[in-house]
Amino acid sequence: MPRPEDCETLCLETKGLSVAYSSALVVDNLNLSIPSGALTALTGPNGSGKSTLLRALSGLLSPTHGSVLLDGRSISRFTTREVALQVGVLAQGPVAPEGLTVLDLARQGRYPHRPLFARWSEKDTAACDRALSLTGMTELGDRPVDQLSGGQRQRAWIAMTLAQETPILLLDEPTTYLDLAHQIEVMELASSLVRTMGKTVVTVLHDLNQAARYADHMVMLKAGRIVASAPPAEVMTVEIVREVFDVESIIVPDPLTQTPMCIPVRRRP
Amino acid sequence: MSTRVPVGADRLRLIALVTLCCLLPLAAIWSVSLGATVLPLDSIINAIFAFDGSRDHLVVAAVRLPRVLAGLLVGGALAIAGAIMQAITNNPLASPGLLGINAGAAFAVVFTMSVFGTGAQGSLVWTAFAGAGAAAVLVSLFGSTGPMSGTPVKLVLAGAVLTAFLTSLTTAFLIMDRSTLDSVRLWTAGSLTGRTMDEVRAVAPYMLAGLAAALVFPRQLTVLSLGADVSRSLGQNPVFWRGVAAVIVILLAGSAVALAGPIGFVGLIVPHIVRLTVGTDYKWIIPFAAAGGAFLVLSADTLSRLLFASQSFPVGVTMATIGAPFFIWLARTSPWGRS
């Protein structure tokens, strides 16, 4: 089983990755290297292939061409269980069965760690305890997931992926549909997983300023291609925002974090 | 709070399950004793262990006992099949009755009987399996292709359409073939009337195999119930495990239909009540559904025997009378129904 310290070496990258849905190319010949032990944000307009790229990175979607490499080896050559021990995934808007409690959900994260007929172990309990405490869900353990607020529900699902104890975590639009307070909460959590546990986190984000504030690395996509892949200071420029979103903008430093902040002016005619 | 399962809750569930399993044989014996002549306990026990060929013993061994055993088996099998189907389709409305599995098995049996004549019960079980399996494949194909594919509504629509189609085909076959109609009229409404010990013996192994398999893989079923994406991201192969689960469903529902015809609602109601009371872990859902389904069908059959003082009232009709109002209530109160 991988330990957090392995994160430095375990890397995730794509080589000539293309994904097509019924002959429409959604991700087009991407070469991308995800920095280990850092927070990477995938951003871009609707339909730019962000979520598709994330699903391909997680092995949930098979590439049409090219490959996703996990530690240098094609992810399709690992078994689903081997992938699940390295990569945790929070899908977009997952739905828990009615009545499933937060604790029961977190416990499902231990699935890849348990062979077919293995019993629940102390190690499993410890992993769930940690996951719930990291997400601040310990007190809500016996509450049904479907009765929680949007932010709590998102944290409950993150708790499940944390109980999975993977060095890599992929989050698909974790802040969409959440109010401001819950957005901050989820982003702070994602960022603390990187800072304190050395995890590699890749997240799809809609909000450019959120991405620039929390991410170490920003990938800007347009029509299935990478326009820029670099630290936020290099990606958030007037030129790139214009090219990707067709929007004129002003970039100013975030008064709090000094990270670049995009103020849109108008849509280009 | 620790993430250890609270011992109290599990102990409570275990006590409830043991109690239910103790009540089941009592209810069965009580049901055997009821009828045109009410028989005392000792004559029932003697009929089973010291059969003397007397009229009372014949009534128990040849009529009432097979009927009660068939009810228990069919109820348990359909309830487990429903619980598993709700897990693999992530759909609270899935059940062998609604998704066409029962109708497929029933059509296959009637088709075979009217074309090849009334065969031996043993071969009809395999016919029922084939029909159930074909219906399962068709519904999942319809439900997963085209617009709205994969949504719970689409799957239920596909099931409803297939059920209506196969049920009318079944009726058409029966109208054209009088002799088959007479022998299976009650059966097509879901009936335990006239079951023989041989028939029970012919299907029991498949049902018990299905039950055993369902009890072995609760963890896989719980993970499947989270949806295909989550299941895969947790390292499960959802295609493989859905296949395994589908085989269990076909074994259970197919043999239940072969024995007692397409009884609806058990497979829908029981898993729901079970989930409301024991939670979402299939480790508990399966045994509770088995006991609950057995209990419900036994009670419904006994009730219809008593109320209508008739041996031939189909339990499927009683079940639908109980089930329909419950279904409406469910559709109005569950989150799925509201959205």
Side-chain angles (χ1 to χ4, degrees), chain B residues 52-130:
Chain B
D52 65 4
S54 69
R55 192 186 162 277
D56 280 0
H57 283 194
L58 260 177
V59 165
V60 169
V63 180
R64 293 192 192 167
L65 196 59
R67 180 174 188 143
V68 164
L69 285 179
L72 293 173
L73 284 172
V74 164
L78 288 174
I80 301 174
I84 295 177
M85 289 176 75
Q86 288 166 16
I88 59 179
T89 60
N90 319 118
N91 186 342
L93 294 181
S95 76
L98 272 180
L99 291 194
I101 312 292
N102 285 357
F107 173 70
V109 169
V110 168
F111 177 80
T112 312
M113 282 173 82
S114 67
V115 173
F116 302 106
T118 321
Q121 194 69 27
S123 63
L124 280 185
V125 174
W126 288 98
T127 312
F129 289 157

Side-chain angles (χ1 to χ4, degrees), chain A residues 144-238:
Chain A
V145 177
D146 53 303
Q147 287 172 22
L148 299 175
S149 74
Q152 291 170 332
R153 201 176 304 159
Q154 201 66 288
R155 283 189 292 157
W157 281 97
I158 294 176
M160 183 197 80
T161 58
L162 288 180
Q164 213 173 325
E165 293 196 310
T166 57
I168 300 174
L169 209 57
L170 307 179
L171 312 174
D172 197 353
E173 298 204 18
T175 54
T176 307
Y177 305 122
L178 297 186
D179 64 34
L180 195 57
H182 288 136
Q183 287 188 25
I184 295 174
E185 205 175 80
V186 168
M187 288 316 297
E188 293 287 343
L189 172 61
S191 140
S192 81
L193 293 174
V194 174
R195 312 284 167 252
T196 62
M197 302 179 71
K199 284 188 191 282
T200 303
V201 175
V202 183
T203 172
V204 172
L205 289 176
H206 253 303
D207 185 335
L208 285 182
N209 295 334
Q210 204 169 58
R213 179 185 279 197
Y214 290 101
D216 304 299
H217 192 85
M218 228 171 132
V219 178
M220 195 79 97
L221 290 157
K222 186 190 186 185
R225 289 170 177 275
I226 295 175
V227 175
S229 172
E234 294 167 39
V235 173
M236 285 274 267
T237 63
V238 173

Side-chain angles (χ1 to χ4, degrees), chain B residues 74-324:
Chain B
V74 164
L78 288 174
I80 301 174
I84 295 177
M85 289 176 75
Q86 288 166 16
I88 59 179
T89 60
N90 319 118
N91 186 342
L93 294 181
S95 76
L98 272 180
L99 291 194
I101 312 292
N102 285 357
F107 173 70
V109 169
V110 168
F111 177 80
T112 312
M113 282 173 82
S114 67
V115 173
F116 302 106
T118 321
Q121 194 69 27
S123 63
L124 280 185
V125 174
W126 288 98
T127 312
F129 289 157
V137 170
L138 279 179
V139 165
S140 51
L141 274 183
F142 292 155
S144 62
T145 52
M148 269 165 67
S149 61
T151 62
V153 182
K154 176 86 183 257
L155 198 69
V156 170
L157 280 179
V161 169
L162 192 71
T163 303
F165 180 67
L166 290 174
T167 308
S168 46
L169 270 190
T170 306
T171 313
F173 263 94
L174 290 178
I175 289 171
M176 289 186 293
D177 180 359
R178 281 268 149 213
S179 60
T180 307
L181 173 63
D182 288 339
S183 57
V184 299
R185 197 182 56 218
L186 281 176
W187 177 88
T188 54
S191 170
L192 296 169
T193 308
R195 294 307 98 188
T196 66
M197 218 42 158
D198 283 345
E199 290 168 337
V200 172
R201 243 181 250 124
V203 298
Y206 305 110
M207 289 179 165
L208 295 178
L211 170 68
L215 285 172
V216 169
F217 303 121
R219 192 149 56 87
Q220 281 68 24
L221 291 171
T222 307
V223 168
L224 265 183
S225 75
L226 298 175
D229 273 3
V230 177
S231 136
R232 192 181 287 275
S233 72
L234 287 176
Q236 185 178 52
N237 182 340
V239 178
F240 173 77
W241 285 104
R242 273 184 176 164
V244 170
V247 169
I248 299 175
V249 164
I250 289 163
L251 273 181
L252 290 168
S255 41
V257 172
L259 189 57
I263 299 177
F265 288 111
V266 196
L268 180 69
I269 302 177
V270 174
H272 268 284
I273 298 174
V274 166
R275 247 202 309 274
L276 283 177
T277 44
V278 305
T280 48
D281 190 339
Y282 275 78
K283 180 175 80 187
W284 293 108
I285 290 180
I286 298 292
F288 270 100
F295 206 85
L296 182 65
V297 170
L298 178 71
S299 320
D301 190 49
T302 310
L303 198 71
S304 55
R305 270 165 53 200
L306 287 182
L307 283 183
F308 305 104
S310 152
Q311 288 299 309
S312 57
F313 199 81
V315 66
V317 175
T318 318
M319 198 64 71
T321 323
I322 306 172

Side-chain angles (χ1 to χ4, degrees), chain A:
Chain A
M1 205 190 77
R3 299 269 175 280
E5 54 265 29
D6 291 344
C7 289
E8 298 304 315
T9 57
L10 192 78
C11 59
L12 190 62
E13 54 194 331
T14 70
K15 273 226 166 69
L17 178 78
S18 295
V19 182
Y21 289 128
S22 54
S23 80
L25 216 52
V26 180
V27 166
D28 187 5
N29 195 19
L30 287 195
N31 292 305
L32 175 66
S33 184
I34 304 290
S36 299
L39 200 158
T40 300
L42 306 181
T43 55
N46 292 338
S48 58
K50 315 183 283 288
S51 290
T52 306
L53 172 59
L54 193 87
R55 284 174 64 83
L57 284 174
S58 66
L60 286 176
L61 208 64
S62 312
T64 319
H65 293 290
S67 52
V68 172
L69 302 180
L70 180 61
D71 224 9
R73 198 171 137 213
S74 170
I75 205 166
S76 59
R77 290 175 55 200
F78 290 85
T79 65
T80 33
R81 177 158 172 265
E82 286 168 338
V83 176
L85 288 171
Q86 308 294 342
V87 183
V89 187
L90 175 70
Q92 212 178 116
V95 181
E98 212 183 327
L100 185 80
T101 63
V102 171
L103 173 57
D104 281 336
L105 183 62
R107 288 166 59 95
Q108 304 309 318
R110 300 306 296 167
Y111 187 87
H113 294 272
R114 301 169 66 196
L116 195 53
F117 296 107
R119 297 186 66 85
W120 185 259
S121 72
E122 287 299 312
K123 238 166 87 184
D124 296 323
T125 302
C128 287
D129 279 338
R130 267 198 304 279
L132 290 190
S133 108
L134 275 170
T135 48
M137 294 300 282
T138 308
E139 299 305 314
L140 299 173
D142 49 11
R143 289 270 297 278
V145 177
D146 53 303
Q147 287 172 22
L148 299 175
S149 74
Q152 291 170 332
R153 201 176 304 159
Q154 201 66 288
R155 283 189 292 157
W157 281 97
I158 294 176
M160 183 197 80
T161 58
L162 288 180
Q164 213 173 325
E165 293 196 310
T166 57
I168 300 174
L169 209 57
L170 307 179
L171 312 174
D172 197 353
E173 298 204 18
T175 54
T176 307
Y177 305 122
L178 297 186
D179 64 34
L180 195 57
H182 288 136
Q183 287 188 25
I184 295 174
E185 205 175 80
V186 168
M187 288 316 297
E188 293 287 343
L189 172 61
S191 140
S192 81
L193 293 174
V194 174
R195 312 284 167 252
T196 62
M197 302 179 71
K199 284 188 191 282
T200 303
V201 175
V202 183
T203 172
V204 172
L205 289 176
H206 253 303
D207 185 335
L208 285 182
N209 295 334
Q210 204 169 58
R213 179 185 279 197
Y214 290 101
D216 304 299
H217 192 85
M218 228 171 132
V219 178
M220 195 79 97
L221 290 157
K222 186 190 186 185
R225 289 170 177 275
I226 295 175
V227 175
S229 172
E234 294 167 39
V235 173
M236 285 274 267
T237 63
V238 173
E239 294 75 24
I240 291 178
V241 171
R242 184 189 300 139
E243 185 189 340
V244 172
F245 291 94
D246 259 344
V247 165
E248 293 296 345
S249 66
I250 305 167
I251 307 290
V252 295
D254 184 324
L256 194 65
T257 55
Q258 307 308 312
T259 51
M261 205 164 86
C262 169
I263 297 169
V265 179
R266 64 177 170 274
R267 188 166 181 165
R268 278 214 308 174

